[in-house]
Every structure is written in C-alpha cells, then in structure tokens.
Amino acid sequence: MERLPKRQRHQQLSKLLDENPFLTDRELTRQLKVSIQTIRLDRLELAIPELRERLKLMAERSYDSVRSLPLHEVIGDILDLQLDKSGISLFEINDEHVFSRSGIARGHHVFAQANSLAVAVINDEIALTASADIRFIRPARLGEKCIAKAYVRTSGEQKGKAKVEVFTYVGEEMVFQGNFIIYRSAGESKS
C-alpha cells in the first residue's frame, strides 16, 4: 500500500478516531502504515489529544448518573452511560490483576468489570445480578485496556428483571461476552 498524502492521512486518522476513540498510537501506526512519530505529529496538528486525554474528556462529558450502586463500586471507569440503554467502561489490567507467572488477568477481574457495568446501566435504586451466562474468548493480559460495552436488551418484558448484554474488547478483539439477568426493585423501566 502506497503512503497517503498528508491531507488524506489526516482525514483517515480523524475518521478512525471518530469510529473508535480507544485506538492507541501504535494501533494507528499499523492501520495508516506510518511511524509513531508521524501519528503523534498528525494528532498535534489536528489538535487530537493522546489516548489518556481522550479518555478523560469522554469521562468528563455529561452522562447519566449511576443509580444502582455507588460510582466507586463500579469496576473500571465509566466513559458513557445511558440508563436502561447502554454503557461503556474502561479497565486497565495492572500487576494486581494478573497471575504473576503468566501476566494473564484473573478472570474474576474481567467478569467484575462486565458485571458492575451491567448493574450500573440499570435505572433503579436497587439492581442485583440474578444470573450470568458468560464466555471468556481469550485472556486479557498485563497492560491491556479492556473496554466493556453494555446494552440493555429488555427492561419490562419480565416483571422486575432486565436482560443486559456485555461485550468486552481489547482493541478490536473481543475477550469476554456476558448475558446478565438483573433483578430490579421496580417492576418496570423508569424514564
């Protein structure tokens, strides 16, 4: 693939980050086939902050408040939350989350991120996990950033219960999938 002219590369860079604001500079270098220095210069010229700053900006923008549990009890950082609809959280795998020999994340940490997001997305004072059908697709590893995306699929069909699907990704690769049934104290969805 031949190198894109600067203007086209800038357009492509902006488009990629609009589609997935969680892309790292390294991932952008692979997709645009340029050096990491070029990516950093392009971001600077386009006034696009580095990943950490983009995540902070996303977290600071307005989103619904978590009602079902205290925010400090959510595993990971809530980046977006629309109660009874969807939510996104970020969880970085650190030393305390992995097996020391392999650097692979202990499964309960990945599950906890997904489970707490599934509860947090429910628009109710009390929401508890009734059941979970989960699948680990591949291990998460030390230093990886897990992005969990939760979607409320049903909220009023079964009285007092909501179905929430959660998909966790590292980059573009899915690492975890869970279907959660969440008990809610109210029998129907709140608006």
Side-chain angles (χ1 to χ4, degrees), residues 47-124:
I48 297 172
E50 67 177 331
L51 176 64
R52 191 175 305 263
E53 288 302 311
R54 289 194 308 270
L55 295 177
K56 277 186 200 173
L57 290 171
M58 286 180 72
E60 289 168 1
R61 77 177 188 207
S62 95
Y63 58 79
D64 292 343
S65 296
V66 176
R67 293 188 61 214
S68 55
L69 70 165
L71 194 56
H72 71 273
E73 291 181 6
V74 177
I75 307 302
D77 298 316
I78 299 277
L79 301 178
D80 186 37
L81 188 68
Q82 296 174 24
L83 293 175
D84 280 340
K85 290 186 180 123
S86 64
I88 300 173
S89 74
L90 168 76
F91 179 63
E92 186 168 357
I93 306 297
N94 295 319
D95 288 327
E96 65 269 19
H97 307 125
V98 300
F99 293 106
S100 58
R101 286 186 179 181
S102 63
I104 292 174
R106 291 179 171 91
H108 65 274
H109 293 293
V110 176
F111 171 81
Q113 176 194 18
N115 185 62
S116 66
L117 184 60
V119 170
V121 78
I122 299 301
N123 187 14
D124 207 322

Side-chain angles (χ1 to χ4, degrees), residues 107 110-111 114 132-140 165-169 173-180:
V110 176
F111 171 81
D133 178 17
I134 64 170
R135 213 175 66 165
F136 291 92
I137 287 107
R138 79 133 168 101
E165 283 185 312
V166 180
F167 304 94
T168 303
Y169 298 87
E173 190 175 4
M174 189 185 304
V175 296
F176 175 89
Q177 177 189 358
N179 293 307
F180 295 86

